[in-house]
Amino acid sequence: MPTGGIRGQRNRREVSEKLRIIRPQASRSGTTYAEHGAILPAIAEPRCEEAQQLLRTHIETSKAEVRKITQHMLHSARQSAAASPRVTRKPL
């Protein structure tokens, strides 16, 4: 059995699936780095209210992007399923 056993395998699958969903956000990576570049100094200085607002905005924007990607994936899956021929099994 591989190191980590069944639980480790499940965790790796879950992480891989999450990364697969998030990877299409690569077009946003420059924006993400810029947002992080503004958030970190606000935390370090500390400018608490500004840091909180920057974090809220960053998280909401990221959530909206993930939602958009998820909806696109669902739509694509539905279209693929509708286009696939139906396989019927004969009764035994």
Side-chain angles (χ1 to χ4, degrees):
M1 180 174 283
T3 305
I6 294 171
R7 182 177 291 160
Q9 290 174 4
R10 184 178 65 232
N11 288 341
R12 280 189 291 281
R13 268 195 312 273
E14 288 174 7
V15 169
S16 293
E17 179 62 18
K18 289 176 183 175
L19 288 173
R20 187 179 71 76
I21 291 170
I22 292 170
R23 271 194 198 112
Q25 285 190 345
S27 63
R28 209 181 108 65
S29 64
T31 304
T32 298
Y33 283 118
E35 290 170 355
H36 289 181
I39 292 166
L40 293 175
I43 292 170
E45 288 189 17
R47 298 185 315 263
C48 295
E49 289 182 25
E50 180 183 353
Q52 288 175 352
Q53 184 56 47
L54 289 168
L55 280 165
R56 276 190 206 100
T57 301
H58 173 66
I59 290 168
E60 290 303 316
T61 302
S62 296
K63 282 171 51 177
E65 282 296 312
V66 169
R67 190 175 303 117
K68 191 165 60 173
I69 290 166
T70 302
Q71 288 172 346
H72 174 73
M73 290 174 64
L74 287 170
H75 178 73
S76 296
R78 286 182 184 126
Q79 283 185 323
S80 293
S84 297
R86 303 279 185 224
V87 177
T88 57
R89 291 178 23 165
K90 294 180 182 177
L92 297 175

